Amino acid sequence: MADLDSGHIFLTTLAPIKGVNAESGTGISHEQRVRIALAQLPTALQSPATQGIGINSPLARNRRTHLARMFVLSDIVYNGRNPQNPLVATAKGIDPVDPLPIDQLSTAYLVFCADVDAIVNDGDPLPHNLTKAQQKAVRASYARKLWDTMGDELQDIYQNCVGFEGVKTADDFAAYLDKCHVETTMPFHDYYLDLPKFNELNTKLLLGAVLVPAAIAVLSLLLRIFGMLHLPMLGFSTFWTFVVAAVVTVVVALLAIAYALRNGAKPLPPAKHDDLPSVLKGLYVQQTFSDFVIDHQAAEPNELHRAFGDYLARHRPENKMSPTQTPGVISIRAEGGITL
Amino acid sequence: MNPARPKAVNSAQGTFMSNIAGKAYAMNVITPSSPRITWTNRLLFMAARGLPRNLLGLLGLSIIHFARWVIIRPKDWPDLGQGKQNLKNDYVLFCSNFNGTWDQYIDAFSDGIPKGLNLFWYSATKYPQSIPITDFKRYITYNQINTDFYYNATPGSAQRDVKAGLRVYDAVLELAEAHKTQTPEEFAKTYRTAMFKIQHSLGEPGLGPVASLDTERADINRGAYRSDDSYGA
């Protein structure tokens, strides 16, 4: 399960949107209604215009979401006809004038992707690893959190999606989002102050395990072709040595691929301060401590020691939950930028 | 719900969409891949995670907060009663949160890790390779899906800004421990040593530059809903 990496859940969900013939009562397609609902959803206070609006995103009501996006996938992309060798096409009797089949989705999808702390209680440390069931529990916990903090907005958006009719509670939404879940294959994240310990793959060993029997198979085959019925000194049949070595090569190659896949799916550890509360606190400390440094550039040791004690008492760096920078604001200087 | 809002909205009013939230850009790219060879891409992804030298290029770009590749096979498209998808191809969804403009990102990818890109899109149908860049940019353009809604919890901070903040945070936590036991003279020395390490990480977040008219208009257009009291609870 590569949803989990660096202590975060890389949540990917695809919710099918109701078709154009479904009853909406507005004359506007459900796909368009999703787009309108998303256009109405406040973003973070991220620019002079949105600061002027003064309404922070409903996603800022939780402290688990680093980044999130929603978009309508009307259809998958077609990049044009695939070229092919004209000799092969002629031999197969393929007329290039005839159109080839083109993939089309039968319904549009609402894609919701979020980069989320893999925790079930706010402020918990990020986990190094989770079982499949624990990951499901984290996803459900996040979905419930969303419903509890922005249920109205989710209702506005998802009421246009197939199968959402019975969703009335946080648990219902968690179950619904789970049905829409698609596993992330390859996650990537980098807030590392020091590089993590990677799950290194020993490619030389794996290649050796495959190439040694492969070399024996090739050698046995060549000897057989040149008329040697038995291996020199060993006396084994070259034919059966080739067969056994070839089978071993294939089996070991498959095992090596399976091992590489399983090794790659292992999550990397979280960075030292990688959860959103720590990131927000880090930005808060960066800003407040920059002021402290400027104000105490030439301070004597006694004054520095006393002033730093005051700084600790006021800003409490050991408490990552407060005081801190509010989610979804530019800085602590912004209106509402500090959460006490 | 919010019945008062639609008075300000219709599809012809203008561009609501923006791929940008503060200093971050949300890219969504979906590329077809033949089911016969998609497994090689899965193997390449997993092998890269086990071979750090292949990830170091990506890490070294230092402009990506979070990114993901999602292989969606025909059977993976959720069916909540509307019926299964009848597709001949697998699709790879790539979502990235990066800093800078679209052009800067593609340029950084193509110039910085061209081999890595070609490996990560190894099975993508008609993928033109990352060099030369013109065809590569055209391919991304054709396969990119715009974001309808984008949220960033730290919009004033690029990825490097976040890491700078965490470096300062880490140093201050260490100073707090030293402050408990050290004399003022000892602490002043520890403080100077810490400052030597983190002086380049001080500063504060700020507004990102407006990267496009679409971005500015999208943010302004959302102001039409300001009179709606049901938001901002």
mmCIF file of all heavy atoms in Angstrom, chain A residues 11-12 40-41 47 68-69 81 103 106 115 156 185 189-191 201 264 266 273 286 305 328, chain B residues 5 27-28 49-50 65 67-68 71 85 88 96-97 126 148 151 153 159 170 179 201 219 222:
data_model
loop_
_atom_site.group_PDB
_atom_site.id
_atom_site.type_symbol
_atom_site.label_atom_id
_atom_site.label_comp_id
_atom_site.label_asym_id
_atom_site.label_seq_id
_atom_site.Cartn_x
_atom_site.Cartn_y
_atom_site.Cartn_z
ATOM 1 N N LEU A 11 -4.037 10.569 -0.177
ATOM 2 C CA LEU A 11 -5.413 10.155 -0.457
ATOM 3 C C LEU A 11 -5.796 10.485 -1.898
ATOM 4 O O LEU A 11 -5.668 11.633 -2.334
ATOM 5 C CB LEU A 11 -6.361 10.877 0.509
ATOM 6 C CG LEU A 11 -7.842 10.555 0.345
ATOM 7 C CD1 LEU A 11 -8.134 9.123 0.772
ATOM 8 C CD2 LEU A 11 -8.707 11.534 1.143
ATOM 9 N N THR A 12 -6.247 9.478 -2.618
ATOM 10 C CA THR A 12 -6.746 9.672 -3.977
ATOM 11 C C THR A 12 -8.136 9.066 -4.056
ATOM 12 O O THR A 12 -8.303 7.877 -3.757
ATOM 13 C CB THR A 12 -5.839 8.980 -5.014
ATOM 14 O OG1 THR A 12 -4.478 9.379 -4.798
ATOM 15 C CG2 THR A 12 -6.249 9.327 -6.433
ATOM 16 N N GLN A 40 -17.319 28.031 -5.980
ATOM 17 C CA GLN A 40 -17.810 28.792 -4.831
ATOM 18 C C GLN A 40 -17.024 28.513 -3.556
ATOM 19 O O GLN A 40 -17.072 29.296 -2.608
ATOM 20 C CB GLN A 40 -19.282 28.448 -4.582
ATOM 21 C CG GLN A 40 -20.209 28.939 -5.670
ATOM 22 C CD GLN A 40 -21.621 28.477 -5.443
ATOM 23 O OE1 GLN A 40 -21.872 27.435 -4.850
ATOM 24 N NE2 GLN A 40 -22.572 29.259 -5.915
ATOM 25 N N LEU A 41 -16.328 27.410 -3.534
ATOM 26 C CA LEU A 41 -15.626 27.000 -2.310
ATOM 27 C C LEU A 41 -14.463 27.955 -2.029
ATOM 28 O O LEU A 41 -13.587 28.129 -2.878
ATOM 29 C CB LEU A 41 -15.108 25.577 -2.517
ATOM 30 C CG LEU A 41 -14.804 24.720 -1.293
ATOM 31 C CD1 LEU A 41 -16.036 24.571 -0.411
ATOM 32 C CD2 LEU A 41 -14.303 23.346 -1.739
ATOM 33 N N SER A 47 -3.916 35.466 -1.316
ATOM 34 C CA SER A 47 -3.595 36.576 -2.220
ATOM 35 C C SER A 47 -4.300 37.821 -1.704
ATOM 36 O O SER A 47 -5.204 37.727 -0.856
ATOM 37 C CB SER A 47 -4.096 36.249 -3.640
ATOM 38 O OG SER A 47 -5.515 36.122 -3.617
ATOM 39 N N ALA A 68 -4.605 20.078 -0.844
ATOM 40 C CA ALA A 68 -5.712 19.275 -1.370
ATOM 41 C C ALA A 68 -6.228 19.917 -2.647
ATOM 42 O O ALA A 68 -6.076 21.131 -2.840
ATOM 43 C CB ALA A 68 -6.836 19.169 -0.339
ATOM 44 N N ARG A 69 -6.784 19.102 -3.490
ATOM 45 C CA ARG A 69 -7.355 19.618 -4.741
ATOM 46 C C ARG A 69 -8.572 18.803 -5.129
ATOM 47 O O ARG A 69 -8.682 17.624 -4.760
ATOM 48 C CB ARG A 69 -6.328 19.560 -5.873
ATOM 49 C CG ARG A 69 -6.097 18.157 -6.386
ATOM 50 C CD ARG A 69 -4.930 18.064 -7.317
ATOM 51 N NE ARG A 69 -3.681 18.366 -6.629
ATOM 52 C CZ ARG A 69 -2.515 18.525 -7.244
ATOM 53 N NH1 ARG A 69 -2.434 18.415 -8.545
ATOM 54 N NH2 ARG A 69 -1.423 18.773 -6.563
ATOM 55 N N ARG A 81 -4.166 8.733 -32.858
ATOM 56 C CA ARG A 81 -3.938 7.361 -33.297
ATOM 57 C C ARG A 81 -2.485 6.948 -33.082
ATOM 58 O O ARG A 81 -1.567 7.727 -33.338
ATOM 59 C CB ARG A 81 -4.297 7.273 -34.778
ATOM 60 C CG ARG A 81 -4.308 5.867 -35.333
ATOM 61 C CD ARG A 81 -4.644 5.910 -36.830
ATOM 62 N NE ARG A 81 -4.632 4.560 -37.380
ATOM 63 C CZ ARG A 81 -5.691 3.973 -37.892
ATOM 64 N NH1 ARG A 81 -6.845 4.594 -37.922
ATOM 65 N NH2 ARG A 81 -5.602 2.759 -38.386
ATOM 66 N N ASP A 103 -10.854 5.106 -26.171
ATOM 67 C CA ASP A 103 -11.380 5.012 -24.808
ATOM 68 C C ASP A 103 -12.226 6.239 -24.460
ATOM 69 O O ASP A 103 -11.828 7.372 -24.760
ATOM 70 C CB ASP A 103 -10.219 4.941 -23.811
ATOM 71 C CG ASP A 103 -9.741 3.511 -23.607
ATOM 72 O OD1 ASP A 103 -10.422 2.580 -24.083
ATOM 73 O OD2 ASP A 103 -8.685 3.335 -22.963
ATOM 74 N N SER A 106 -17.693 6.447 -19.289
ATOM 75 C CA SER A 106 -19.148 6.498 -19.397
ATOM 76 C C SER A 106 -19.731 7.573 -18.493
ATOM 77 O O SER A 106 -20.886 7.961 -18.637
ATOM 78 C CB SER A 106 -19.739 5.126 -19.032
ATOM 79 O OG SER A 106 -19.427 4.816 -17.686
ATOM 80 N N ASP A 115 -3.104 15.555 0.631
ATOM 81 C CA ASP A 115 -1.880 15.130 1.315
ATOM 82 C C ASP A 115 -2.113 15.371 2.800
ATOM 83 O O ASP A 115 -2.166 16.518 3.250
ATOM 84 C CB ASP A 115 -0.687 15.919 0.792
ATOM 85 C CG ASP A 115 -0.580 15.797 -0.727
ATOM 86 O OD1 ASP A 115 -0.367 14.687 -1.206
ATOM 87 O OD2 ASP A 115 -0.746 16.821 -1.412
ATOM 88 N N ASP A 156 -22.890 20.036 -0.773
ATOM 89 C CA ASP A 156 -23.077 20.831 -1.991
ATOM 90 C C ASP A 156 -22.380 20.187 -3.183
ATOM 91 O O ASP A 156 -22.900 20.173 -4.298
ATOM 92 C CB ASP A 156 -22.464 22.228 -1.786
ATOM 93 C CG ASP A 156 -23.511 23.229 -1.366
ATOM 94 O OD1 ASP A 156 -24.674 22.824 -1.174
ATOM 95 O OD2 ASP A 156 -23.157 24.410 -1.205
ATOM 96 N N THR A 185 0.096 4.877 -6.325
ATOM 97 C CA THR A 185 1.172 3.940 -6.674
ATOM 98 C C THR A 185 2.528 4.441 -6.201
ATOM 99 O O THR A 185 3.282 3.715 -5.553
ATOM 100 C CB THR A 185 1.221 3.742 -8.203
ATOM 101 O OG1 THR A 185 -0.096 3.470 -8.685
ATOM 102 C CG2 THR A 185 2.147 2.594 -8.572
ATOM 103 N N HIS A 189 7.399 12.984 -1.310
ATOM 104 C CA HIS A 189 7.269 14.128 -0.403
ATOM 105 C C HIS A 189 8.653 14.477 0.122
ATOM 106 O O HIS A 189 9.481 13.591 0.333
ATOM 107 C CB HIS A 189 6.340 13.769 0.760
ATOM 108 C CG HIS A 189 6.333 14.778 1.860
ATOM 109 N ND1 HIS A 189 6.044 16.105 1.641
ATOM 110 C CD2 HIS A 189 6.575 14.669 3.191
ATOM 111 C CE1 HIS A 189 6.106 16.755 2.787
ATOM 112 N NE2 HIS A 189 6.436 15.924 3.749
ATOM 113 N N ASP A 190 8.894 15.766 0.319
ATOM 114 C CA ASP A 190 10.222 16.151 0.801
ATOM 115 C C ASP A 190 10.171 17.361 1.713
ATOM 116 O O ASP A 190 10.235 18.497 1.239
ATOM 117 C CB ASP A 190 11.145 16.433 -0.400
ATOM 118 C CG ASP A 190 12.502 16.964 0.055
ATOM 119 O OD1 ASP A 190 12.893 16.661 1.199
ATOM 120 O OD2 ASP A 190 13.160 17.673 -0.728
ATOM 121 N N TYR A 191 10.023 17.099 3.023
ATOM 122 C CA TYR A 191 10.303 18.131 4.023
ATOM 123 C C TYR A 191 11.463 17.641 4.901
ATOM 124 O O TYR A 191 11.580 18.016 6.062
ATOM 125 C CB TYR A 191 9.080 18.416 4.898
ATOM 126 C CG TYR A 191 7.981 19.227 4.226
ATOM 127 C CD1 TYR A 191 6.735 19.371 4.828
ATOM 128 C CD2 TYR A 191 8.171 19.851 2.995
ATOM 129 C CE1 TYR A 191 5.719 20.105 4.224
ATOM 130 C CE2 TYR A 191 7.172 20.579 2.378
ATOM 131 C CZ TYR A 191 5.944 20.697 3.003
ATOM 132 O OH TYR A 191 4.937 21.420 2.401
ATOM 133 N N LEU A 201 17.529 -1.270 -2.380
ATOM 134 C CA LEU A 201 17.365 -2.500 -3.139
ATOM 135 C C LEU A 201 18.747 -2.958 -3.594
ATOM 136 O O LEU A 201 19.485 -2.182 -4.220
ATOM 137 C CB LEU A 201 16.473 -2.217 -4.356
ATOM 138 C CG LEU A 201 15.875 -3.372 -5.124
ATOM 139 C CD1 LEU A 201 14.914 -4.155 -4.243
ATOM 140 C CD2 LEU A 201 15.130 -2.834 -6.351
ATOM 141 N N GLY A 264 9.710 -1.573 -2.763
ATOM 142 C CA GLY A 264 9.361 -0.195 -3.125
ATOM 143 C C GLY A 264 8.114 0.292 -2.423
ATOM 144 O O GLY A 264 7.945 1.494 -2.187
ATOM 145 N N LYS A 266 7.297 -0.293 0.594
ATOM 146 C CA LYS A 266 7.529 0.024 2.011
ATOM 147 C C LYS A 266 7.591 1.545 2.182
ATOM 148 O O LYS A 266 8.288 2.219 1.420
ATOM 149 C CB LYS A 266 8.870 -0.570 2.480
ATOM 150 C CG LYS A 266 8.885 -2.067 2.625
ATOM 151 C CD LYS A 266 10.287 -2.474 3.101
ATOM 152 C CE LYS A 266 10.511 -3.964 2.948
ATOM 153 N NZ LYS A 266 11.951 -4.304 3.094
ATOM 154 N N HIS A 273 10.156 16.946 11.678
ATOM 155 C CA HIS A 273 8.998 17.788 12.020
ATOM 156 C C HIS A 273 8.153 17.874 10.752
ATOM 157 O O HIS A 273 8.325 18.807 9.964
ATOM 158 C CB HIS A 273 9.429 19.198 12.432
ATOM 159 C CG HIS A 273 10.500 19.229 13.468
ATOM 160 N ND1 HIS A 273 10.277 18.885 14.781
ATOM 161 C CD2 HIS A 273 11.805 19.570 13.394
ATOM 162 C CE1 HIS A 273 11.398 19.024 15.469
ATOM 163 N NE2 HIS A 273 12.348 19.422 14.651
ATOM 164 N N GLN A 286 9.777 30.532 13.111
ATOM 165 C CA GLN A 286 10.695 31.205 12.192
ATOM 166 C C GLN A 286 10.466 32.719 12.209
ATOM 167 O O GLN A 286 11.412 33.513 12.282
ATOM 168 C CB GLN A 286 10.497 30.672 10.775
ATOM 169 C CG GLN A 286 11.424 31.275 9.735
ATOM 170 C CD GLN A 286 10.998 30.926 8.318
ATOM 171 O OE1 GLN A 286 9.812 30.877 8.012
ATOM 172 N NE2 GLN A 286 11.973 30.662 7.464
ATOM 173 N N HIS A 305 20.279 35.517 27.742
ATOM 174 C CA HIS A 305 19.725 34.378 28.480
ATOM 175 C C HIS A 305 18.338 34.711 29.023
ATOM 176 O O HIS A 305 17.385 33.938 28.903
ATOM 177 C CB HIS A 305 20.679 34.004 29.617
ATOM 178 C CG HIS A 305 20.361 32.698 30.268
ATOM 179 N ND1 HIS A 305 19.544 32.591 31.365
ATOM 180 C CD2 HIS A 305 20.740 31.432 29.950
ATOM 181 C CE1 HIS A 305 19.426 31.330 31.714
ATOM 182 N NE2 HIS A 305 20.158 30.593 30.880
ATOM 183 N N GLY A 328 -3.852 28.083 6.279
ATOM 184 C CA GLY A 328 -4.482 28.813 5.182
ATOM 185 C C GLY A 328 -4.288 30.312 5.205
ATOM 186 O O GLY A 328 -5.080 31.044 4.603
ATOM 187 N N ARG B 5 -26.118 31.931 -3.129
ATOM 188 C CA ARG B 5 -24.887 32.137 -3.881
ATOM 189 C C ARG B 5 -25.022 32.215 -5.398
ATOM 190 O O ARG B 5 -24.393 33.050 -6.018
ATOM 191 C CB ARG B 5 -23.870 31.070 -3.514
ATOM 192 C CG ARG B 5 -23.138 31.389 -2.245
ATOM 193 C CD ARG B 5 -22.193 30.292 -1.899
ATOM 194 N NE ARG B 5 -22.898 29.166 -1.335
ATOM 195 C CZ ARG B 5 -22.520 27.916 -1.458
ATOM 196 N NH1 ARG B 5 -21.454 27.633 -2.134
ATOM 197 N NH2 ARG B 5 -23.192 26.959 -0.905
ATOM 198 N N MET B 27 -0.573 20.634 -10.455
ATOM 199 C CA MET B 27 -0.586 20.057 -11.806
ATOM 200 C C MET B 27 -1.259 18.689 -11.767
ATOM 201 O O MET B 27 -0.989 17.881 -10.878
ATOM 202 C CB MET B 27 0.842 19.922 -12.340
ATOM 203 C CG MET B 27 0.923 19.188 -13.666
ATOM 204 S SD MET B 27 2.585 19.185 -14.362
ATOM 205 C CE MET B 27 2.602 20.778 -15.163
ATOM 206 N N ASN B 28 -2.158 18.456 -12.724
ATOM 207 C CA ASN B 28 -2.789 17.142 -12.889
ATOM 208 C C ASN B 28 -2.556 16.695 -14.327
ATOM 209 O O ASN B 28 -2.944 17.410 -15.250
ATOM 210 C CB ASN B 28 -4.304 17.214 -12.660
ATOM 211 C CG ASN B 28 -4.655 18.028 -11.445
ATOM 212 O OD1 ASN B 28 -4.250 17.716 -10.344
ATOM 213 N ND2 ASN B 28 -5.404 19.111 -11.643
ATOM 214 N N ARG B 49 12.190 3.768 -5.703
ATOM 215 C CA ARG B 49 12.096 3.986 -4.256
ATOM 216 C C ARG B 49 13.138 3.174 -3.495
ATOM 217 O O ARG B 49 13.441 3.483 -2.342
ATOM 218 C CB ARG B 49 10.681 3.646 -3.769
ATOM 219 C CG ARG B 49 9.651 4.700 -4.161
ATOM 220 C CD ARG B 49 8.237 4.254 -3.866
ATOM 221 N NE ARG B 49 8.027 3.899 -2.480
ATOM 222 C CZ ARG B 49 7.860 4.758 -1.481
ATOM 223 N NH1 ARG B 49 7.854 6.055 -1.745
ATOM 224 N NH2 ARG B 49 7.674 4.360 -0.255
ATOM 225 N N GLY B 50 13.662 2.123 -4.143
ATOM 226 C CA GLY B 50 14.701 1.320 -3.518
ATOM 227 C C GLY B 50 16.101 1.697 -3.971
ATOM 228 O O GLY B 50 17.087 1.131 -3.502
ATOM 229 N N HIS B 65 6.356 20.019 -2.879
ATOM 230 C CA HIS B 65 5.891 19.695 -1.521
ATOM 231 C C HIS B 65 5.498 18.212 -1.470
ATOM 232 O O HIS B 65 6.058 17.430 -0.713
ATOM 233 C CB HIS B 65 4.666 20.525 -1.148
ATOM 234 C CG HIS B 65 4.900 22.001 -1.090
ATOM 235 N ND1 HIS B 65 5.119 22.674 0.076
ATOM 236 C CD2 HIS B 65 4.935 22.943 -2.074
ATOM 237 C CE1 HIS B 65 5.269 23.964 -0.174
ATOM 238 N NE2 HIS B 65 5.170 24.148 -1.468
ATOM 239 N N ALA B 67 3.948 14.997 -4.270
ATOM 240 C CA ALA B 67 3.557 14.600 -5.626
ATOM 241 C C ALA B 67 3.162 13.134 -5.580
ATOM 242 O O ALA B 67 3.488 12.414 -4.624
ATOM 243 C CB ALA B 67 4.703 14.815 -6.609
ATOM 244 N N ARG B 68 2.431 12.716 -6.592
ATOM 245 C CA ARG B 68 2.028 11.295 -6.640
ATOM 246 C C ARG B 68 1.784 10.853 -8.073
ATOM 247 O O ARG B 68 1.433 11.664 -8.934
ATOM 248 C CB ARG B 68 0.744 11.078 -5.828
ATOM 249 C CG ARG B 68 -0.491 11.648 -6.488
ATOM 250 C CD ARG B 68 -1.711 11.555 -5.624
ATOM 251 N NE ARG B 68 -1.627 12.440 -4.487
ATOM 252 C CZ ARG B 68 -2.493 12.439 -3.469
ATOM 253 N NH1 ARG B 68 -3.507 11.617 -3.477
ATOM 254 N NH2 ARG B 68 -2.363 13.279 -2.476
ATOM 255 N N ILE B 71 -1.525 4.677 -10.779
ATOM 256 C CA ILE B 71 -1.872 3.829 -11.922
ATOM 257 C C ILE B 71 -3.322 3.377 -11.751
ATOM 258 O O ILE B 71 -3.670 2.747 -10.747
ATOM 259 C CB ILE B 71 -0.940 2.610 -12.007
ATOM 260 C CG1 ILE B 71 0.498 3.061 -12.307
ATOM 261 C CG2 ILE B 71 -1.423 1.637 -13.078
ATOM 262 C CD1 ILE B 71 1.513 1.928 -12.327
ATOM 263 N N GLN B 85 -16.360 0.815 -16.120
ATOM 264 C CA GLN B 85 -15.799 1.514 -17.274
ATOM 265 C C GLN B 85 -15.248 0.487 -18.269
ATOM 266 O O GLN B 85 -14.523 -0.425 -17.887
ATOM 267 C CB GLN B 85 -14.687 2.466 -16.833
ATOM 268 C CG GLN B 85 -15.143 3.570 -15.903
ATOM 269 C CD GLN B 85 -16.176 4.488 -16.518
ATOM 270 O OE1 GLN B 85 -16.204 4.674 -17.741
ATOM 271 N NE2 GLN B 85 -17.046 5.042 -15.687
ATOM 272 N N LYS B 88 -9.829 0.254 -22.753
ATOM 273 C CA LYS B 88 -8.777 -0.643 -23.231
ATOM 274 C C LYS B 88 -7.418 -0.299 -22.624
ATOM 275 O O LYS B 88 -6.499 -1.098 -22.664
ATOM 276 C CB LYS B 88 -8.683 -0.561 -24.759
ATOM 277 C CG LYS B 88 -9.955 -0.998 -25.467
ATOM 278 C CD LYS B 88 -9.682 -1.455 -26.874
ATOM 279 C CE LYS B 88 -10.952 -1.972 -27.545
ATOM 280 N NZ LYS B 88 -11.662 -2.986 -26.771
ATOM 281 N N SER B 96 0.952 16.959 -8.805
ATOM 282 C CA SER B 96 2.112 17.555 -8.153
ATOM 283 C C SER B 96 1.739 18.881 -7.505
ATOM 284 O O SER B 96 0.850 19.586 -7.980
ATOM 285 C CB SER B 96 3.222 17.773 -9.190
ATOM 286 O OG SER B 96 4.354 18.346 -8.578
ATOM 287 N N ASN B 97 2.392 19.188 -6.398
ATOM 288 C CA ASN B 97 2.285 20.499 -5.744
ATOM 289 C C ASN B 97 3.676 21.106 -5.767
ATOM 290 O O ASN B 97 4.540 20.689 -4.988
ATOM 291 C CB ASN B 97 1.832 20.343 -4.291
ATOM 292 C CG ASN B 97 0.515 19.604 -4.156
ATOM 293 O OD1 ASN B 97 -0.544 20.187 -4.289
ATOM 294 N ND2 ASN B 97 0.580 18.301 -3.894
ATOM 295 N N LYS B 126 2.671 7.345 -26.558
ATOM 296 C CA LYS B 126 3.079 8.501 -27.370
ATOM 297 C C LYS B 126 3.838 9.553 -26.570
ATOM 298 O O LYS B 126 3.895 10.721 -26.956
ATOM 299 C CB LYS B 126 1.881 9.128 -28.081
ATOM 300 C CG LYS B 126 1.208 8.156 -29.048
ATOM 301 C CD LYS B 126 0.090 8.767 -29.811
ATOM 302 C CE LYS B 126 0.600 9.529 -31.016
ATOM 303 N NZ LYS B 126 -0.514 9.886 -31.919
ATOM 304 N N ASP B 148 -10.103 22.534 -10.324
ATOM 305 C CA ASP B 148 -11.275 23.364 -10.036
ATOM 306 C C ASP B 148 -11.175 24.010 -8.658
ATOM 307 O O ASP B 148 -11.686 25.103 -8.450
ATOM 308 C CB ASP B 148 -12.548 22.520 -10.119
ATOM 309 C CG ASP B 148 -12.866 22.137 -11.554
ATOM 310 O OD1 ASP B 148 -13.254 23.023 -12.325
ATOM 311 O OD2 ASP B 148 -12.692 20.955 -11.915
ATOM 312 N N TYR B 151 -6.391 23.862 -2.398
ATOM 313 C CA TYR B 151 -6.169 24.379 -1.043
ATOM 314 C C TYR B 151 -4.731 24.129 -0.617
ATOM 315 O O TYR B 151 -4.189 23.034 -0.832
ATOM 316 C CB TYR B 151 -7.112 23.698 -0.048
ATOM 317 C CG TYR B 151 -6.742 23.985 1.399
ATOM 318 C CD1 TYR B 151 -6.988 25.233 1.958
ATOM 319 C CD2 TYR B 151 -6.128 23.015 2.187
ATOM 320 C CE1 TYR B 151 -6.621 25.507 3.272
ATOM 321 C CE2 TYR B 151 -5.768 23.278 3.508
ATOM 322 C CZ TYR B 151 -6.018 24.532 4.039
ATOM 323 O OH TYR B 151 -5.663 24.806 5.333
ATOM 324 N N ALA B 153 -2.380 24.769 2.876
ATOM 325 C CA ALA B 153 -2.395 25.201 4.285
ATOM 326 C C ALA B 153 -1.316 26.236 4.589
ATOM 327 O O ALA B 153 -1.414 26.960 5.573
ATOM 328 C CB ALA B 153 -2.219 23.993 5.199
ATOM 329 N N GLN B 159 8.289 25.351 -0.826
ATOM 330 C CA GLN B 159 8.829 24.145 -0.179
ATOM 331 C C GLN B 159 10.117 24.464 0.572
ATOM 332 O O GLN B 159 10.323 24.006 1.698
ATOM 333 C CB GLN B 159 9.065 23.070 -1.253
ATOM 334 C CG GLN B 159 9.455 21.705 -0.714
ATOM 335 C CD GLN B 159 10.955 21.458 -0.843
ATOM 336 O OE1 GLN B 159 11.734 22.368 -1.125
ATOM 337 N NE2 GLN B 159 11.375 20.229 -0.640
ATOM 338 N N ASP B 170 13.703 23.522 14.691
ATOM 339 C CA ASP B 170 14.555 22.483 15.272
ATOM 340 C C ASP B 170 15.651 23.120 16.133
ATOM 341 O O ASP B 170 15.929 22.668 17.252
ATOM 342 C CB ASP B 170 15.178 21.665 14.133
ATOM 343 C CG ASP B 170 15.726 20.336 14.617
ATOM 344 O OD1 ASP B 170 15.023 19.654 15.380
ATOM 345 O OD2 ASP B 170 16.872 20.000 14.250
ATOM 346 N N HIS B 179 19.025 26.068 27.231
ATOM 347 C CA HIS B 179 18.671 27.172 28.126
ATOM 348 C C HIS B 179 18.347 26.674 29.537
ATOM 349 O O HIS B 179 18.553 27.402 30.524
ATOM 350 C CB HIS B 179 17.472 27.922 27.538
ATOM 351 C CG HIS B 179 17.120 29.181 28.267
ATOM 352 N ND1 HIS B 179 16.176 29.229 29.267
ATOM 353 C CD2 HIS B 179 17.616 30.445 28.152
ATOM 354 C CE1 HIS B 179 16.091 30.457 29.726
ATOM 355 N NE2 HIS B 179 16.952 31.225 29.073
ATOM 356 N N SER B 201 18.218 30.702 7.241
ATOM 357 C CA SER B 201 16.843 30.187 7.244
ATOM 358 C C SER B 201 15.863 31.141 7.912
ATOM 359 O O SER B 201 14.674 30.841 7.999
ATOM 360 C CB SER B 201 16.799 28.832 7.970
ATOM 361 O OG SER B 201 17.605 27.886 7.310
ATOM 362 N N ASP B 219 -9.171 34.493 -8.077
ATOM 363 C CA ASP B 219 -9.255 34.956 -6.689
ATOM 364 C C ASP B 219 -10.270 36.090 -6.549
ATOM 365 O O ASP B 219 -11.039 36.139 -5.587
ATOM 366 C CB ASP B 219 -7.877 35.418 -6.199
ATOM 367 C CG ASP B 219 -6.974 34.240 -5.850
ATOM 368 O OD1 ASP B 219 -7.494 33.119 -5.762
ATOM 369 O OD2 ASP B 219 -5.766 34.453 -5.670
ATOM 370 N N ARG B 222 -14.000 34.964 -6.723
ATOM 371 C CA ARG B 222 -14.557 34.336 -5.523
ATOM 372 C C ARG B 222 -15.136 35.372 -4.566
ATOM 373 O O ARG B 222 -15.926 35.052 -3.690
ATOM 374 C CB ARG B 222 -13.489 33.486 -4.834
ATOM 375 C CG ARG B 222 -13.184 32.215 -5.594
ATOM 376 C CD ARG B 222 -12.119 31.379 -4.937
ATOM 377 N NE ARG B 222 -11.578 30.414 -5.885
ATOM 378 C CZ ARG B 222 -12.052 29.187 -6.069
ATOM 379 N NH1 ARG B 222 -13.064 28.768 -5.362
ATOM 380 N NH2 ARG B 222 -11.511 28.369 -6.947
#
